[in-house]
Amino acid sequence: MSSRIIPVPAFDYVVFGATGDLTKRKLIPALYHRFKDGQFDENSRIIGASRSKLSEADFQKTAREAIGQFVEKEYQDQAVIDRFIKIFTYVPVDASKPDASGDLGAALRDDPKIVRAFYLAVAPDLFEPIAEYLHSKKLYRRDARVVIEKPLGHDLQSSIAINDGVSKIFQEDQVYRIDHYLGKETVQNLLALRFANTLFEPVWNSAHIDHVQLTVAESVGAGTRGYYDESGALRDMIQNHMLQLLCLVAMEPPASDEANALRDEKLKVLRALRRVTNGDVAKNTVRGQYRGVKSETVSVAGYQDELPEDKKGSRTETFVALKAEIENWRWAGVPFYFRTGKRMAERVSEICIQFKPIPHSIFDHAEGAPKPNKLIIRLQPDEGVKLLMMIKDPGPGGMRLREVPLNLSFAATFSERTPEAYERLLMDVIRGQQTLFMRRDELEAAWTWVDPIREAWDRSTEPPQSYTAGTWGPSGAVALIERDGRSWYEGDNS
């Protein structure tokens, strides 16, 4: 069964930062796939804008090269690419010197039926100047949309300043704060799993769930990316991606799938999170930093080895584990464990919901004790949903209990290609659908919870715990969960 492609209205999509890495790696390939699938056609325009003095032909060549490099060969159709490239145009724009910029207005169509969207794939300190530039050049419309990328600040106050700058021009219903994790098919399926079935919702509470684990592990290192040392794993992953996942797991059923109904419920979760105060930080959080490993068969640099000389000795964390609690009726007493890091044993993003043990076992003489049921929602790779259950192992040799999965693999179930997150999110902007984008009060609530952890770490004299590249993190992360009589889920054989 193929998914139904719902066309979007014609649009003018202006991409600021058009020559940057994000545009080449994600935005152009995502727009190509949507064009190839017929979601929009030659009536739309993609307008590159940056400080670089490029011609339209130069930008079209860049777009063609991006498709050649970042789109799988099996999906590269030269006839489609030729048609797609024709909708690209380019205008040199320097928001700090608007009088020296090209005429962006001439590239935009003055037709209210043409959706106007601005994607700010630039550093946050340029958000406000670009918004003011659009207003001064009379390119702002009340129905226009603006997409802004993280990092949206490094703490609550800087986040407020960035959003204040954008909101001088754009109203909240025009602002799309993008988090690509929310565009993943499996994340959206978490909503369907919970609210389109009667099976789980009656047991989705503290009476039946023992604890929840959220893991986002990367096998790659931080490399030489300078921004990472300024952010670290807490700001880079916990504050946005992982807290958004927590909200989808823990929120109450919204009244509808309308954007603000869903975001209202997410906000309630963030506001119900128990603050990790200074006295609890040492007990409920662990920060780590990977060290290198060198042998005859493998050589991996440590984080310190990858830093420039002026950054040596950095205490930036490349790993975080923490324990959180939600203080409301549904989740009182249920711990939520977060774990994320660079240079870990494998690349995996998943949510493990572990149910409570059976209250009484009648299988006293069985081989193999009953294990608690687990619901595993895997976001990447091998996207799918898996329910681990106990069954009798076949055979006449008595009662032998065995844990087996009921497995829904997206790749096996759906034969068609699964769209990337940016494909869905870019088209949602054109639709005017804000469900999968963060509202300002959500963002600020997340910073309000994260900031005390960061401040306590900054005051501490303890450095991040060291862990070997290619492992599951420092020993403190194991101790964090095992103190509670639990263990990290690391596959069906854990």
Side-chain angles (χ1 to χ4, degrees), residues 350 374-378 384-388 404-408 489 491-492:
E350 66 188 8
K374 298 182 185 73
L375 180 66
I376 312 299
I377 301 161
R378 179 167 282 215
V385 179
K386 182 164 51 180
L387 179 62
L388 298 181
V404 297
L406 292 177
N407 196 4
L408 168 62
Y489 174 76
D492 298 349

Side-chain angles (χ1 to χ4, degrees), residues 208-362:
H208 301 280
I209 291 177
D210 179 78
H211 72 280
V212 178
Q213 299 179 26
L214 300 100
T215 295
V216 178
E218 297 179 84
S219 57
V220 298
T224 57
R225 291 181 291 173
Y227 85 89
Y228 190 85
D229 197 63
E230 303 300 322
S231 59
L234 184 70
R235 292 177 176 134
D236 189 50
M237 292 300 303
I238 299 287
Q239 184 273 332
N240 44 74
H241 302 326
M242 298 189 76
L243 282 181
Q244 286 292 308
L245 294 179
L246 170 74
C247 289
L248 296 178
V249 170
M251 70 183 189
E252 295 297 318
S256 71
D257 65 353
E258 189 270 332
N260 279 327
L262 187 141
R263 296 192 291 182
D264 286 345
E265 298 303 333
K266 286 162 59 183
L267 179 63
K268 291 176 186 176
V269 173
L270 292 169
R271 288 178 172 171
L273 279 170
R274 177 187 292 175
R275 296 286 183 89
V276 183
T277 58
N278 191 43
D280 295 327
V281 168
K283 180 175 69 174
N284 290 335
T285 74
V286 175
R287 56 175 174 157
Q289 191 180 95
Y290 62 85
R291 63 176 180 269
V293 57
K294 191 169 186 178
S295 68
E296 293 181 0
T297 57
V298 64
S299 179
V300 178
Y303 182 68
Q304 293 292 333
D305 302 321
E306 296 169 339
L307 292 173
E309 285 301 319
D310 62 333
K311 296 285 188 179
K312 299 293 187 186
S314 168
R315 292 178 25 162
T316 296
E317 75 285 353
T318 64
F319 174 95
V320 174
L322 59 85
K323 175 183 176 181
E325 295 183 58
I326 300 172
E327 298 183 312
N328 62 20
W329 277 34
R330 182 184 288 262
W331 296 112
V334 177
F336 288 76
Y337 299 97
F338 293 80
R339 178 176 56 165
T340 183
K342 301 280 190 184
R343 289 277 186 229
M344 294 184 68
E346 62 179 283
R347 172 180 174 262
V348 60
S349 297
E350 66 188 8
I351 302 164
C352 173
I353 295 153
Q354 181 163 314
F355 293 89
K356 289 187 175 180
I358 56 174
H360 171 70
S361 175
I362 65 172

Side-chain angles (χ1 to χ4, degrees), residues 429-471:
V429 173
I430 303 304
R431 293 188 188 96
Q433 174 55 266
Q434 289 187 304
T435 301
L436 300 178
F437 296 85
M438 287 184 289
R439 204 168 59 190
R440 178 173 178 168
D441 50 7
E442 283 184 75
L443 181 67
E444 293 178 359
W447 277 121
T448 298
W449 188 74
V450 163
D451 275 356
I453 300 173
R454 164 57 59 193
E455 290 164 3
W457 286 351
D458 289 344
R459 289 192 297 269
S460 172
T461 58
E462 292 291 325
Q465 296 182 24
S466 179
Y467 66 97
T468 303
T471 66

Side-chain angles (χ1 to χ4, degrees), residues 167-182:
S167 66
K168 289 178 182 178
I169 308 300
F170 291 93
Q171 302 297 311
E172 179 63 26
D173 63 357
Q174 297 177 275
V175 181
Y176 292 71
R177 297 172 188 86
I178 198 165
D179 182 342
H180 71 273
Y181 257 66
L182 296 184

